[in-house]
Amino acid sequence: MTHLMQWLLGSIPRLGSRGVDRPARGLGLVLLVSACACFLPAGEAAAEEDRPNVLFISVDDLGTWLGAYGRPYVHSPHIDRLAGEGMRFDRAYVQVPVCGASRGSMLTGIYPTRERFVSYDSMVEKEAPDAVTLPQFFRENGYHTVSIGKVFHHRRDTEERSWSEPAASPKQNPLHMADPESRQFISERGRGPIYEHPDVPDDEYFDGQVARMTLEALRRLRGQQEPFFLVAGFFNPHLPFYAPKRYWDLYERDEIPLAENRSRPEGAPGQLTGSGEFRSYHLRGLDEGSDEFHRIMRHGYFACVSYVDKLVGDILEELVRLELDGNTIVVLWADHGFNLGEHGFWGKHNLVRGSVQIPLIIRAPGTTREGTSTDALVESVDLFPTLASLAGLQPDEALRAQWDGADLTPLLKGTGAGPRDAVYTRWQGGDNVVTPRFSYTEYGDYRDGVRHAVAARMLFDRWSDPDEDANVAEREAHAATVQRLSGQLQRLMDRARAYAAP
């Protein structure tokens, strides 16, 4: 940036500063652009133009358990406020309901297949080695890219090409037990209790340290010439439910509502199973079928949500304090959902709504309108092309061919409708398509890695059955719907297979 531009920036109100009305800020920008255009050679103005920063907040296992998503019993004021300042996506879906695979798919914009982005342990370097990653693209276009906490499932995945500096993470293990009494509750797998709530500071745990490191990074990055692409990856509300006592104290356990549909969906095929991850922790003698267990599990999950919400709030407040909020795109995304006793399921690892539907919030200054929401069907793979567009970056044809996602910018601006009529997600032997009305799944009969037939089907009519309590795939009244959705699903599966890294 030239000395003239630096002087002019100092002489007008900073974007996003409080107490300055919008017309005054707009006038300042007009004067700045006009003055710079007079002193720069032709063609240099665009090169000197400030590009927006990007703050990407990734939250592990966060389903739509937020006040902003119609859960008034969850204390999430900071994320709710962010939703009120940008666009809330009410029907956002991940491609795979497990950590590593979901992150690999989102960070490349590529659909999963049975061979690519399969498990929690997925790595882009192994499963899509020639794919360009989201941070890599921003880095190659002049951004300083920074990773803090849990971003890729493996911190070293594509590290050299994705990040401008080594990926950073707290020294604290995410499974660290801060309560000495927890040492007496060790499971057969060597893990601690499923919950604890000691009276400790925020940074006693992994996520508190992620927040502290993110604040430090923002202060450092503010003084750089390059725009930044900063990702803060939180671990909570992932199991186990460990959070400082004050966040547990936000809730009265007896007042926490329990799932009303704790039975398995009627007519569900045997292929639909729940996650057993919670059983790897010590259950403290609780009966997993009891109301007591359900209440404690929900209490712990909500406490962890409130813990992360407060840390997110700290980061957003620092953006304001540093006068960065007016030129920083903020994204809040979860890598998958989390069932809290619905159908008897705890966690993810299946293709029901609680596992695959996520919160997604985007606040892009000058683009998103405050307090807007949309029912448009969107996917995690949309984030790569959307952020590229919002930053004014131009992908080449090879990268466009890589993407399975769509640019959501017209939706954010209110100038266009949603980009699709169906979303695609998969888990192990099941492939799923979600439309505005239906959720349809096919479980394949795989032999030698090849799908030979459909072994089972699952169809939920979300209009009449929003909680997905009855599988109606075998009902005659839905035969035509099954046939139509099967064809639609096959086209999405074919598209997923179309990308093959050399």
Side-chain angles (χ1 to χ4, degrees):
M1 184 180 293
T2 64
H3 294 300
L4 171 64
M5 292 178 71
Q6 292 173 341
W7 178 84
L8 284 166
L9 278 172
S11 67
I12 63 174
R14 291 294 301 266
L15 277 175
S17 58
R18 299 302 186 247
V20 180
D21 59 27
R22 295 180 184 278
R25 290 205 303 265
L27 177 59
L29 282 175
V30 169
L31 291 173
L32 171 64
V33 173
S34 299
C36 291
C38 294
F39 289 88
L40 289 173
E44 192 173 338
E48 290 283 338
E49 180 184 359
D50 280 348
R51 286 176 169 169
N53 304 304
V54 178
L55 171 62
F56 194 113
I57 301 171
S58 167
V59 187
D60 211 332
D61 282 32
L62 179 65
T64 55
W65 300 102
L66 296 163
Y69 280 84
R71 318 278 190 174
Y73 45 83
V74 179
H75 294 267
S76 53
H78 302 287
I79 296 176
D80 296 348
R81 187 177 306 118
L82 177 65
E85 296 170 346
M87 175 169 279
R88 185 190 72 224
F89 293 83
D90 290 340
R91 299 204 65 184
Y93 294 81
V94 295
Q95 270 45 73
V96 194
V98 71
C99 299
S102 176
R103 292 163 185 268
S105 180
M106 182 275 290
L107 288 164
T108 58
I110 300 174
Y111 276 158
T113 67
R114 189 170 170 81
E115 294 77 32
R116 179 180 65 240
F117 305 142
V118 176
S119 71
Y120 82 97
D121 211 28
S122 290
M123 293 182 65
V124 173
E125 281 188 344
K126 293 182 178 179
E127 298 174 33
D130 293 300
V132 176
T133 72
L134 172 58
Q136 174 188 352
F137 177 68
F138 271 76
R139 183 183 182 187
E140 291 173 349
N141 280 274
Y143 276 72
H144 190 87
T145 58
V146 179
S147 169
I148 298 174
K150 186 175 180 181
V151 181
F152 287 89
H153 188 72
H154 292 273
R155 185 159 53 97
R156 302 299 185 196
D157 192 6
T158 72
E159 180 182 40
E160 291 188 3
R161 56 191 170 99
S162 290
W163 308 112
S164 301
E165 54 192 65
S169 187
K171 294 181 180 179
Q172 192 65 276
N173 189 303
L175 304 184
H176 163 70
M177 293 176 284
D179 186 348
E181 293 186 3
S182 293
R183 307 290 174 183
Q184 62 184 300
F185 301 105
I186 304 299
S187 72
E188 292 181 359
R189 291 187 56 180
R191 292 184 173 180
I194 199 162
Y195 70 88
E196 70 169 23
H197 43 72
D199 190 2
V200 295
D202 286 347
D203 61 2
E204 177 66 25
Y205 289 115
F206 179 92
D207 283 346
Q209 295 180 28
V210 168
R212 176 176 52 78
M213 294 170 70
T214 302
L215 298 179
E216 293 169 353
L218 284 172
R219 294 164 193 151
R220 171 170 55 86
L221 293 169
R222 182 180 184 269
Q224 293 191 171
Q225 295 288 342
E226 300 169 289
F228 63 77
F229 182 96
L230 169 62
V231 188
F234 291 104
F235 182 77
N236 275 304
H238 193 289
L239 285 165
F241 301 142
Y242 295 174
K245 180 178 180 294
R246 59 188 163 280
Y247 300 105
W248 286 74
D249 290 346
L250 292 171
Y251 300 89
E252 292 291 338
R253 187 172 300 166
D254 291 342
E255 297 177 4
I256 294 174
L258 302 183
E260 297 179 356
N261 57 336
R262 286 159 62 172
S263 300
R264 185 175 175 79
E266 176 188 345
Q271 288 88 342
L272 176 63
T273 59
S275 172
E277 182 180 5
F278 71 98
R279 297 190 186 97
S280 67
Y281 300 92
H282 196 289
L283 300 186
R284 290 178 174 258
L286 294 167
D287 175 3
E288 65 183 72
S290 67
D291 283 359
E292 181 186 15
F293 179 79
H294 279 245
R295 288 196 189 280
I296 287 178
M297 289 286 280
R298 284 189 160 220
H299 191 176
Y301 183 90
F302 295 156
C304 289
V305 170
S306 296
Y307 175 35
V308 169
D309 176 76
K310 188 268 184 183
L311 301 176
V312 169
D314 289 346
I315 294 170
L316 296 177
E317 288 172 8
E318 188 68 3
L319 270 186
V320 174
R321 192 188 73 79
L322 295 173
E323 298 183 324
L324 290 169
D325 59 319
N327 193 38
T328 300
I329 299 164
V330 178
V331 178
L332 186 135
W333 170 84
D335 59 357
H336 45 71
F338 201 93
N339 296 284
L340 289 176
E342 297 82 13
H343 308 306
F345 298 148
W346 293 101
K348 55 272 190 181
H349 301 161
N350 57 34
L351 293 171
V352 298
R353 182 187 64 174
S355 296
V356 299
Q357 192 169 346
I358 58 164
L360 174 63
I361 299 167
I362 299 178
R363 186 183 75 189
T367 300
T368 50
R369 296 153 295 153
E370 291 187 0
T372 55
S373 63
T374 178
D375 287 328
L377 295 169
V378 301
E379 303 175 297
S380 289
V381 291
D382 295 335
L383 287 173
F384 195 159
T386 299
L387 289 173
S389 175
L390 288 173
L393 307 181
Q394 298 299 320
D396 59 23
E397 289 304 313
L399 182 54
R400 290 184 186 277
Q402 172 183 305
W403 287 337
D404 285 316
D407 179 8
L408 302 179
T409 302
L411 193 61
L412 290 166
K413 290 181 176 180
T415 59
R420 62 176 60 79
D421 58 3
V423 297
Y424 174 64
T425 189
R426 73 174 324 277
W427 170 245
Q428 294 183 341
D431 293 273
N432 172 255
V433 59
V434 174
T435 69
R437 178 174 178 178
F438 295 101
S439 174
Y440 174 71
T441 301
E442 290 183 354
Y443 294 97
D445 175 14
Y446 285 92
R447 282 166 280 162
D448 299 324
V450 178
R451 176 172 150 158
H452 292 271
V454 177
R457 305 177 193 270
M458 194 163 63
L459 177 69
F460 296 115
D461 184 345
R462 293 282 301 278
W463 286 4
S464 62
D465 180 23
D467 293 327
E468 301 182 340
D469 291 330
N471 173 25
V472 297
E474 303 305 322
R475 298 183 186 180
E476 184 61 31
H478 291 285
T481 298
V482 167
Q483 183 178 12
R484 174 175 59 82
L485 292 176
S486 181
Q488 194 167 23
L489 177 59
Q490 186 61 55
R491 289 190 291 274
L492 288 169
M493 293 167 64
D494 291 343
R495 178 174 178 178
R497 285 193 292 268
Y499 172 80

